[in-house]
């Protein structure tokens, strides 16, 4: 099993550009979520999904969109990149019971200049 | 006040030492509790789940005190490879994770 796969691993964007961070899992997990990690701030929840067709906002959703058309995929779209969105982004997934914790992807390092 | 609080450290300990990390959480409705390990520039990885009865995995022991809203992690016989950041994590009713800021451990020869 590949687990949780994120692409790309690194990206540099210019202010105002848009892009999509890809996330796919092959574990048939119902729950998927996106986090960003900034120095001194820990990991913060951006958006999450409890199943195909269902998404909701987390702690820091502004500037980001998500969709969940399949169980496997949960892309994160940056609508108009800003320097404040420079961060490391992690996608994670879990079973709905939650007792086994979440599995994380290896992350995308995004720099907005 | 942060929902999950940890001492950021760093904890600098010699090989073979025993070290303990603590974590407090503010939401009494939190349902599941975990310790994750994160190496520099890597993704968090599940170290162990935490139960009220306490659980042990080799050199690692985790404990949950629901009354005090307190979680602990004990590492015995520290190895150089234990050097990492340890994240205290809780979930709410919606199974969403809330992370503490992490405690950095450095094990030295």
């Amino acid at each position: 099993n590949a687990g949780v796969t994120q692409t790309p691993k690194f990206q540099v964007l210019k202010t105002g550009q848009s892009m999509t961070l890809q996330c796919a899992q092959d574990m048939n997990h119902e729950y998927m979520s996106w986090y960003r990690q900034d120095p001194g701030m820990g990991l913060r929840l951006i958006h999450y999904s409890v199943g195909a067709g269902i998404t909701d906002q987390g702690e820091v959703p502004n500037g980001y969109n998500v969709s969940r058309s399949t169980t496997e995929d949960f892309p994160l779209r940056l609508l108009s990149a800003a320097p404040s969105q420079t961060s490391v982004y992690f996608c994670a997934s879990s079973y709905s019971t939650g007792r086994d914790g979440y599995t994380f992807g290896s992350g995308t390092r995004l720099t907005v200049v | 006040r942060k929902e999950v609080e940890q001492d950021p450290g760093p904890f600098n300990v010699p090989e073979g030492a025993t070290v303990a990390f603590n974590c407090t959480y503010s939401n009494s409705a939190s349902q599941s509790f975990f310790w994750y390990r994160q190496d520099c520039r890597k993704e968090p990885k599940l170290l162990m789940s935490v139960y009220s009865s306490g659980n042990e995995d080799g050199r690692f022991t985790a404990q949950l005190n629901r009354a005090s809203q307190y979680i602990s992690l004990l590492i015995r016989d520290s190895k150089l490879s234990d050097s990492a950041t340890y994240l205290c994590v809780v979930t709410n009713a919606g199974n969403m994770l809330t992370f503490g800021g992490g405690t950095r451990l450095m094990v030295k020869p």
Side-chain angles (χ1 to χ4, degrees), chain A residues 56-88:
Chain A
D56 208 342
Q57 297 181 350
E59 181 185 354
V60 288
N62 292 340
Y64 308 94
N65 272 356
V66 292
S67 60
R68 184 99 180 268
S69 56
T70 67
T71 300
E72 295 77 20
D73 299 298
F74 191 44
L76 177 72
R77 283 182 289 277
L78 279 69
L79 308 173
S80 177
S84 60
Q85 294 179 304
T86 294
S87 188
V88 181

Side-chain angles (χ1 to χ4, degrees), chain A residues 8 10-21 62-65 76-86 89 110-113:
Chain A
F10 302 93
Q11 184 71 49
V12 178
L13 286 179
K14 293 182 179 178
T15 297
Q17 286 184 317
S18 62
M19 79 160 295
T20 299
L21 279 62
N62 292 340
Y64 308 94
N65 272 356
L76 177 72
R77 283 182 289 277
L78 279 69
L79 308 173
S80 177
S84 60
Q85 294 179 304
T86 294
Y89 292 84
L110 176 68
T111 301
V112 183
V113 299

Side-chain angles (χ1 to χ4, degrees), chain B residues 3 25-31 33 66-67 69:
Chain B
E3 191 167 336
Y25 62 96
S26 60
N27 186 350
S28 60
S30 296
Q31 295 194 331
F33 307 88
R66 282 190 180 270
Q69 295 181 199

Side-chain angles (χ1 to χ4, degrees), chain B residues 40-89:
Chain B
C40 187
R41 303 177 74 82
K42 299 285 189 180
E43 72 273 23
K45 292 186 177 178
L46 180 64
L47 179 65
M48 57 198 308
S49 302
V50 189
Y51 306 113
S52 297
S53 55
N55 47 307
E56 186 174 314
D57 183 2
R59 298 181 293 109
F60 299 84
T61 301
Q63 189 74 48
L64 166 65
N65 184 320
R66 282 190 180 270
S68 302
Q69 295 181 199
Y70 172 95
I71 305 162
S72 65
L73 176 68
L74 183 76
I75 305 175
R76 290 179 298 277
D77 188 23
S78 298
K79 311 290 185 191
L80 295 175
S81 58
D82 293 334
S83 297
T85 297
Y86 291 83
L87 303 169
C88 177
V89 184

